[in-house]
Amino acid sequence: MTKAISYAAVSAKEKLAPFQFERREVGAKDIQIEILFCGVCHSDLHTARNEWQNSVYPVIPGHEIVGRVTSVGADVKAFKVGDLAGVGCLVDSCGVCEDCKDGLEQYCDQEVFTYNSPDKHTGKMTYGGYSNQIVVDEHFVLHISEKLDLAAVAPLLCAGITTYSPLKHWKVGPGSKVGVVGLGGLGHMAVKLAHAMGAHVVLFTTSSNKVADAKRLGADEVVISKNPDEMKAHLKSFDFILNTVAAAHNLDVFTELLKRDGTMCLNGVPEHAHPSPNIGSLIFKRRQIAGSLIGGIKETQEMLDFCAKHNITSDIEVIAIQDVNEAYERMIKGDVKYRFVIDMATLKD
Ligand SMILES: [Zn+2]
Ligand SMILES: [Zn+2]
């Protein structure tokens, strides 16, 4: 075991604070990464505060990890010391089920998340990226381009792949009319990615002060979703809508904007259920409401390569790790454009 330092939550009620722990030794297939930056995802906050009632303390959050390889196991082929490397939401899976064989490890029943998951190697829980180093099986480590701003790449590992995967699955491309609901960490990535894929992108927001920013990020049109007349102008016109809003809301106002056979995919898991959708609106146009979870490892690499090619990163605010508790409070208020990223050089013994 090697010593590591971090910021951790030791209970649901306490703020994150410095915490020492141990990482496993580097095994034959393992890669050890010095973490340089880690994005701050809403899931981090939910888990640190046990809002999903499944947290096992201490919780060391963080699954938008980028850094440099400091050690590789004897059997590691694809990485060498000094390479940039990334780790997203997954660090292990069974490797043999249909989902794993299809490169869709995120749907494996035995997936191991980067933090707060039982860790087969240590018998403890997995500990995430708010730390100085991590040891991960080579299969779950991503190659990161040297040409992009490294801090701004970090959020691609969760927010980027979570939006890229459904856009690809539902074949968004030139000629598609795509809606994105919500302009937060996920929504701003969805706008950038769908725009780069060649789609006509319409951003739905409730706040008129986001219009200019949405257009800057790549939206062709912005619709204020609480204005019925603006919504009506788009009836039956969308091939696909990616709904990133994690609060319960009326889904019908969006499904009615789908063409026949159109799909609205949900990315957010609301604390309270959405009101039941109007089934008639689905039946009479063969519309679908779907869901999607992050993305597999192969697709995450594809997304990172796509972003390097198209010069896409997240819009970020870099913070010191000592400011992470304040960042959580600001994130709850939506006061971030559009992702906090922790500069791990600020983490000291
Ligand atoms: Zn996340
Ligand atoms: Zn599996």
Side-chain angles (χ1 to χ4, degrees):
M1 305 290 262
T2 59
K3 281 202 185 328
I5 54 174
S6 71
Y7 257 53
V10 296
S11 80
K13 298 280 172 235
E14 280 163 87
K15 290 183 170 176
L16 274 72
F19 183 82
Q20 294 196 4
F21 68 111
E22 288 179 322
R23 294 287 189 193
R24 70 175 187 258
E25 293 294 342
V26 179
K29 292 172 159 179
D30 285 338
I31 292 178
Q32 185 173 44
I33 301 164
E34 178 197 4
I35 300 174
L36 299 176
F37 295 99
C38 185
V40 179
C41 174
H42 236 102
S43 306
D44 300 356
L45 184 159
H46 290 307
T47 309
R49 298 183 177 180
N50 196 23
E51 289 172 354
W52 290 330
Q53 276 96 47
N54 67 353
S55 301
V56 178
Y57 293 94
V59 168
I60 302 175
H63 59 203
E64 295 181 339
I65 298 166
V66 289
R68 276 201 195 272
V69 175
T70 50
S71 178
V72 296
D75 296 342
V76 169
K77 301 269 187 292
F79 288 85
K80 60 183 192 308
V81 171
D83 285 350
L84 286 178
V87 179
C89 305
L90 300 168
V91 291
D92 211 345
S93 70
C94 85
V96 295
C97 73
E98 287 297 313
D99 298 315
C100 287
K101 279 193 224 157
D102 289 343
L104 297 169
E105 299 90 347
Q106 76 273 33
Y107 299 119
C108 173
D109 290 337
Q110 294 173 52
E111 69 199 330
V112 178
F113 292 110
T114 302
Y115 59 84
N116 198 50
S117 262
D119 187 342
K120 287 180 236 171
H121 296 273
T122 63
K124 297 183 181 176
M125 301 299 275
T126 53
Y127 299 128
Y130 294 6
S131 57
N132 61 333
Q133 57 120 327
I134 191 166
V135 178
V136 179
D137 184 301
E138 173 182 34
H139 179 76
F140 293 86
V141 180
L142 288 312
H143 291 279
I144 304 288
S145 166
E146 297 272 355
K147 80 174 226 205
L148 297 173
D149 173 19
L150 192 59
V153 166
L156 302 180
L157 275 311
C158 173
I161 186 60
T162 297
T163 50
Y164 180 91
S165 184
L167 292 171
K168 290 300 277 193
H169 183 75
W170 278 280
K171 300 186 168 47
V172 166
S176 314
K177 183 174 176 184
V178 173
V180 175
V181 185
L183 192 65
L186 293 176
H188 97 288
M189 286 312 311
V191 168
K192 289 186 185 204
L193 292 167
H195 175 74
M197 289 171 186
H200 182 87
V201 184
V202 181
L203 185 276
F204 295 96
T205 176
T206 51
S207 53
S208 54
N209 59 17
K210 288 191 174 172
V211 174
D213 224 22
K215 290 193 170 162
R216 176 184 64 80
L217 294 165
D220 297 284
E221 298 177 65
V222 181
V223 170
I224 307 301
S225 55
K226 52 191 183 190
N227 181 339
D229 288 338
E230 278 189 56
M231 293 292 274
K232 215 181 278 177
H234 291 273
L235 279 174
K236 297 185 273 190
S237 69
F238 283 89
D239 299 288
F240 181 67
I241 296 175
L242 189 60
N243 188 332
T244 70
V245 174
H249 62 281
N250 178 5
L251 301 177
D252 297 334
V253 297
F254 297 109
T255 53
E256 285 163 4
L257 306 187
L258 293 168
K259 282 180 188 167
R260 172 179 51 79
D261 290 320
T263 298
M264 176 161 73
C265 175
L266 308 178
N267 265 160
V269 181
E271 192 181 347
H272 305 287
H274 294 299
S276 179
N278 176 355
I279 306 299
S281 149
L282 302 178
I283 286 175
F284 280 91
K285 290 280 176 211
R286 201 161 58 186
R287 292 162 170 147
Q288 301 170 66
I289 295 176
S292 178
L293 175 71
I294 43 178
I297 297 304
K298 186 164 170 273
E299 192 173 47
T300 304
Q301 189 63 62
E302 178 190 307
M303 176 275 306
L304 288 165
D305 297 344
F306 178 88
C307 288
K309 185 177 167 201
H310 294 272
N311 220 7
I312 294 173
T313 54
S314 176
D315 283 29
I316 59 164
E317 183 176 331
V318 177
I319 59 167
I321 197 153
Q322 292 77 13
D323 297 331
V324 70
N325 294 298
E326 188 197 333
Y328 278 9
E329 294 309 315
R330 286 183 52 196
M331 197 159 60
I332 291 167
K333 289 185 258 170
D335 175 24
V336 54
K337 283 185 175 174
Y338 282 89
R339 206 66 151 178
F340 289 112
V341 173
I342 303 165
D343 179 355
M344 218 48 73
T346 59
L347 178 64
K348 304 271 189 256
D349 276 305

